[in-house]
Amino acid sequence: MSTNAELKLDGKTYSLPVVEGTEQERAIDVTTLRNQTGHITLDDGYANTGSCYSKITFIDGERGILRYRGIPIEELAEKSTFIEVAYLLIQGRLPNRAELRNFSELLTRNQLLHEDLKFHFEGFPSNAHPMAILSSMINAASCFYPELLLDPKTQFEIEAARLISQVRTIAAFSYRKSRGLPIIYPKPAYKYTANFLHMMFSDPYQDYELNPEAVRALDLIFLLHADHEQNCSTATVRMVASSRANVFASAAAGVCALWGPLHGGANQAVLEMLDQIHREGDDGSKFIQAAKDKQSGKRLMGFGHRVYKNYDPRAKIIKRACDDLLGKLHRGDPLLDIAKHLEQAVLSDAYFVERKLYPNVDFYSGIIMRAIGIPVEMFTVMFAIGRMPGWIANYREVMEDPHSRIYRPRQIYTGDGLRHYVPLEERP
Ligand code: SDX
């Protein structure tokens, strides 16, 4: 394999180094391109552009492979927990028993919001979207940690624990406020995901009855969303980290990027799509036709992926977990039946097959969250809770990289050529 790429341009030949990753993925390093040739690269949506070296997550889109720190997602889904995976992503290895206990205790010690933050919730309308509340409250929470601004790298472990723990508390409090319910404080004795469901659904006079199957299913959802290399929101977190902003500011920016319906907002859009199909008594073919018609501006939500040109391994796991949970809850869900029918129809439709459009992580996740009682407007918040460890791990990677530079892409200007100011009285 070549270790250099040759570029012929205007009668000259330039040599650019080829770099190779752990899994033999290769890239042409264009760091010196502009200095050598006066040209930049242009790559709409960065589909062909690597922004960094990273040791955190590996994806092979053609083979449908996803590994966190080298461990296959299938093994982690079967044997691990969300908090153990959070440690793995941030620290780079699985914790021993003492490390896992200490990490869990650190999360417990940092799960409460400053009491004054409660007043911020009063300022949101009851129908405020919880992603708007989440991004606002993450930055608001950072105001109570002024030491963050002194040196973002000091006490990183504590800041990471605060973020992972409090993102869950903020989410639950925003749900309670939206329903006019009293906020429920976390219980130190509860594990991470059980505590979240307790804060969401308990009442002052009666604790929510935790169903172990539901807790396990939601923990799996968080685990499967924990990281996914340089997706839109993680790339945003790294962009903000590259200016040396603090980890709360970087995570709040990640929440905003994740909100979009083409990204994390897709899980809410999928449920709304399935629900509309159900209400209209359609079999999904209307939606499939609309998604194939460019004029409609519609997409089949939960299908397609920039990297996976095969089945998203997370979608396979979540689909099985859907069947498993609904079976154990002795409940069916017509939307799951519609989703399965839709998947079968799409996977045999030439339009989708030619474009290698398969179900992604968002296609089935909402069915599980709905079965647990999570309201649809909170689905993307669940994605954010799950993705927090991945964002923190990427933030740390940028901050600890001695060669890290501020992200500052170039552009090709296509606006007006030179022109001069025209005084108001001389304008038409
Ligand atoms: C996530 O990056 C990540 O890792 C993200 C994520 C993570 O864990 O962080 O995996 C989470 O965001 C999953 C994706 C959730 N989004 C959706 O489900 C929304 C629906 N999907 C799409 O909008 C789309 O597939 C994207 C946004 C996911 C990917 O878009 P790309 O890579 O820019 O693909 P494209 O728009 O260039 O599409 C290529 C072709 C186009 O048709 P042609 O112009 O070639 O004729 O496929 C078509 C598109 O119109 N297409 C779809 C489609 N997705 C792509 N057509 C109908 N329905 C779809 N869902």
Side-chain angles (χ1 to χ4, degrees):
M1 287 282 201
S2 314
T3 54
N4 279 287
E6 285 202 348
L7 173 65
K8 293 188 186 309
L9 194 60
D10 302 336
K12 288 187 182 174
T13 301
Y14 301 93
S15 175
L16 293 164
V18 173
V19 298
E20 183 168 293
T22 308
E23 297 298 330
Q24 290 75 53
E25 69 280 33
R26 295 160 63 78
I28 299 168
D29 182 339
V30 294
T31 310
T32 62
L33 181 69
R34 191 168 185 276
N35 285 346
Q36 284 193 66
T37 70
H39 287 58
I40 62 170
T41 60
L42 197 58
D43 183 19
D44 175 37
Y46 301 137
N48 303 281
T49 296
S51 61
C52 61
Y53 289 103
S54 179
K55 300 177 185 298
I56 302 169
T57 290
F58 172 68
I59 298 175
D60 181 318
E62 283 66 33
R63 293 187 291 161
I65 289 173
L66 168 57
R67 298 180 196 147
Y68 292 162
R69 298 288 189 179
I71 303 176
I73 193 67
E74 294 80 4
E75 291 181 34
L76 293 168
E78 185 190 339
K79 300 170 183 170
S80 190
T81 66
F82 172 58
I83 291 309
E84 184 177 66
V85 159
Y87 186 100
L88 168 68
L89 288 168
I90 294 169
Q91 303 298 347
R93 58 177 175 77
L94 289 167
N96 63 31
R97 201 177 299 277
E99 288 165 334
L100 185 57
R101 185 180 60 250
N102 294 339
F103 184 52
S104 184
E105 286 168 1
L106 190 60
L107 292 173
T108 300
R109 285 201 303 276
N110 286 279
Q111 62 190 337
L112 284 176
L113 302 177
H114 190 289
E115 271 298 286
D116 291 351
L117 272 170
K118 280 193 312 186
F119 301 109
H120 286 259
F121 286 100
E122 310 295 339
F124 294 108
S126 59
N127 63 346
H129 196 289
M131 286 295 274
I133 298 174
L134 186 61
S135 58
S136 319
M137 292 301 284
I138 286 173
N139 265 320
S142 73
C143 298
F144 294 88
Y145 308 123
E147 68 280 9
L148 254 179
L149 304 181
L150 295 176
D151 173 2
K153 284 195 281 191
T154 57
Q155 36 180 21
F156 173 81
E157 313 297 334
I158 293 177
E159 302 315 338
R162 281 171 174 161
L163 252 181
I164 291 171
S165 209
Q166 292 180 16
V167 69
R168 170 193 50 164
T169 310
I170 292 169
F173 283 17
S174 66
Y175 168 72
R176 301 290 293 182
K177 295 303 288 176
S178 73
R179 287 342 190 241
L181 298 168
I183 59 173
I184 299 293
Y185 288 92
K187 277 184 185 286
Y190 280 2
K191 295 283 185 202
Y192 188 89
T193 303
N195 228 339
F196 171 69
L197 291 172
H198 159 66
M199 290 190 277
M200 283 282 287
F201 300 124
S202 287
D203 286 307
Y205 50 85
Q206 184 176 354
D207 273 357
Y208 169 70
E209 187 181 339
L210 289 165
N211 177 312
E213 303 301 339
V215 173
R216 173 67 190 135
L218 185 57
D219 197 79
L220 176 64
I221 291 279
F222 288 153
L223 183 156
L224 292 172
H225 286 78
D227 195 50
H228 212 240
E229 62 145 80
Q230 301 310 312
N231 59 84
C232 178
S233 52
T234 300
T236 301
V237 167
R238 289 184 80 111
M239 169 77 79
V240 176
S242 75
S243 76
R244 297 297 179 265
N246 68 72
V247 66
F248 280 69
S250 301
V255 169
C256 296
L258 186 71
W259 192 358
L262 294 188
H263 190 13
N267 57 17
Q268 176 174 344
V270 167
L271 245 290
E272 289 162 351
M273 173 183 77
L274 295 175
D275 189 48
Q276 186 178 343
I277 292 171
H278 182 51
R279 278 185 286 105
E280 291 176 356
D282 181 40
D283 63 359
S285 47
K286 261 175 55 183
F287 261 87
I288 291 174
Q289 289 318 313
K292 290 159 63 174
D293 170 12
K294 299 288 184 235
Q295 304 311 316
S296 75
K298 287 194 181 301
R299 294 226 160 157
L300 204 60
M301 303 316 274
F303 276 84
H305 199 277
R306 172 62 58 76
V307 175
Y308 289 124
K309 300 310 171 190
N310 199 323
Y311 220 102
D312 183 332
R314 301 167 297 176
K316 282 183 187 169
I317 297 167
I318 291 177
K319 183 179 175 184
R320 279 199 302 273
C322 275
D323 283 329
D324 192 39
L325 179 65
L326 291 178
K328 286 173 180 164
L329 296 178
H330 307 297
R331 283 213 315 246
D333 184 345
L335 301 195
L336 178 57
D337 302 333
I338 291 172
K340 287 181 176 177
H341 171 75
L342 207 54
E343 177 188 348
Q344 286 314 313
V346 167
L347 295 184
S348 56
D349 183 304
Y351 171 94
F352 295 91
V353 172
E354 283 159 14
R355 292 167 178 79
K356 299 182 179 176
L357 302 175
Y358 292 87
N360 58 48
V361 68
D362 293 305
F363 188 58
Y364 284 104
S365 56
I367 306 282
I368 287 185
M369 294 191 273
R370 185 171 122 106
I372 294 169
I374 308 282
V376 66
E377 70 273 12
M378 292 279 291
F379 284 5
T380 310
V381 171
M382 298 304 104
F383 195 144
I385 293 175
R387 188 52 52 89
M388 192 57 76
W391 286 340
I392 292 169
N394 278 273
Y395 175 88
R396 179 180 203 171
E397 198 167 60
V398 171
M399 294 300 275
E400 293 183 353
D401 174 0
H403 307 295
S404 169
R405 303 173 70 195
I406 192 167
Y407 282 23
R408 204 282 184 211
R410 294 279 182 150
Q411 63 165 29
I412 294 295
Y413 176 69
T414 56
D416 291 291
L418 174 65
R419 54 184 182 155
H420 297 287
Y421 181 80
V422 177
L424 185 58
E425 59 276 9
E426 294 175 21
R427 294 173 209 161

